[in-house]
Amino acid sequence: MKKIIAFGGSPSRKSINKQLATYTAHLFPNAEVEILDLNDFEMPIFSVDREKVIGIHPLAQRFFDKIGTADFLVISLAENNGAYSAAFKNVMDWTSRIPEKFFQDKPMLLMATSDGARGARLVLEMATSRFPRHGADIKATFSLPSFYENFNPEMGITNTELKNQLLEIIHSIEF
Ligand SMILES: Cc1cc2nc3c(=O)[nH]c(=O)nc-3n(C[C@H](O)[C@H](O)[C@H](O)COP(=O)(O)O)c2cc1C
């Protein structure tokens, strides 16, 4: 059985991105799913000065090691002011110092959602162009607009067209 690691790029307890990543990971057949919570990887704000003192932060090492155990990654990024959440960017900054390619060539479904109609497309575009430099093998991307109109905690994606789009993506991924 293949292992999927999924997480939302947000520190919110009720993160809609964590909800979307969790839901999506469970749509893959025959997969063992592990959900990460960014709050378990909270580190001081990265600086080269802190790095001189701390070296590789143990939580960054743990994050890196977790990614290493995955056969596939499902990530849904929150958009804050047109970019990554500070919590995700900080994990990224610390972990990118272990090796720059901290995604370790793992295949990935990269997603984003927001409560707005643009569905966090800015951060999705940013990550789509940037993550390959960090060793991400992006197989597909998906943006879910207007989360609260299109997602229900019990049923998942309620908009048929969007749900079919996501299912098609999942079926197209060799897994
Ligand atoms: C400081 C801040 C900045 C935000 N900036 C954006 C933005 O640029 N684009 C957007 O679509 N939503 C933005 N939002 C709304 C978020 O998409 C919304 O809070 C969403 O729930 C975040 O995802 P999460 O629940 O996974 O944290 C922002 C929210 C906050 C609190």
Side-chain angles (χ1 to χ4, degrees):
M1 198 183 286
K2 295 216 172 163
K3 180 172 176 184
I4 295 179
I5 288 197
F7 61 89
S10 159
S12 307
R13 266 184 220 293
K14 292 184 177 168
S15 165
I16 60 178
N17 284 282
K18 189 179 182 188
Q19 290 179 58
L20 179 62
T22 302
Y23 163 76
T24 303
H26 286 101
L27 292 176
F28 283 80
N30 302 319
E32 175 202 344
V33 175
E34 180 176 359
I35 310 296
L36 303 184
D37 188 321
L38 274 199
N39 292 301
D40 294 333
F41 302 95
E42 186 175 328
M43 295 170 263
I45 292 173
F46 178 85
S47 77
V48 288
D49 306 317
R50 286 203 173 109
E51 188 185 39
K52 271 199 191 110
V53 178
I54 297 172
I56 293 174
H57 195 292
L59 291 179
Q61 186 66 53
R62 187 181 295 177
F63 184 76
F64 178 79
D65 292 345
K66 277 285 177 198
I67 288 182
T69 68
D71 296 303
F72 195 84
L73 299 170
V74 175
I75 300 176
S76 186
L77 294 171
E79 184 171 296
N80 280 178
N81 296 320
Y84 306 116
S85 74
F88 176 74
K89 183 60 164 51
N90 198 42
V91 170
M92 189 170 163
D93 286 347
W94 279 104
T95 312
S96 68
R97 305 288 283 178
I98 299 176
E100 191 180 29
K101 291 186 181 301
F102 64 90
F103 282 124
Q104 302 167 60
D105 300 322
K106 301 292 177 181
M108 176 189 296
L109 170 55
L110 183 57
M111 303 190 292
T113 189
S114 79
D115 47 11
R118 284 189 41 80
R121 277 181 186 277
L122 281 177
V123 73
L124 190 59
E125 280 165 20
M126 179 183 292
T128 302
S129 71
R130 180 72 202 185
F131 278 17
R133 184 191 281 238
H134 296 293
D137 176 11
I138 300 172
K139 296 298 187 192
T141 63
F142 179 78
S143 156
L144 180 67
S146 307
F147 179 86
Y148 294 101
E149 286 159 41
N150 291 319
F151 191 96
N152 170 307
E154 267 101 57
M155 298 164 61
I157 297 179
T158 49
N159 177 305
T160 312
E161 199 177 313
L162 291 167
K163 181 164 183 179
N164 285 341
Q165 248 179 49
L166 182 59
L167 288 175
E168 251 175 53
I169 285 173
I170 288 171
H171 290 146
S172 75
I173 290 172
E174 269 180 50
F175 183 72

